Amino acid sequence: MSKPPVGLKARCYRGVGWLAACTWIVISVGLVFFEDWQTDAMFDSALRQLAHTALSYSDHELSEIEREGGPR
């Protein structure tokens, strides 16, 4: 038994459906990688800022200890 011929309309719908599904998948994967990169950059920036803050406090504390004649 042979298959009935598939009409042009059905082939167009199928093609548009596959194109939409593939586009959705590519965009979703791209967004996941972009958000992962953006999250890493945000946490790196926050950690860098925290380190600078800690260093500025430690420099201040070390200079006070040296002025008081404490251990070096």
Side-chain angles (χ1 to χ4, degrees), residues 8 14 20 22 27 30 35-36 39 43 45 50 56 60 68 71:
L8 180 61
R14 193 175 303 143
C22 290
I27 290 173
E35 289 298 322
D36 183 49
T39 303
F43 284 126
S45 175
L50 181 64
S56 69
H60 174 72
E68 293 174 357

Side-chain angles (χ1 to χ4, degrees), residues 1-25:
M1 197 182 273
S2 66
K3 290 183 178 180
V6 179
L8 180 61
K9 189 176 181 180
R11 286 188 289 173
C12 286
Y13 282 143
R14 193 175 303 143
V16 169
W18 275 107
L19 182 63
C22 290
T23 303
W24 182 80
I25 289 170

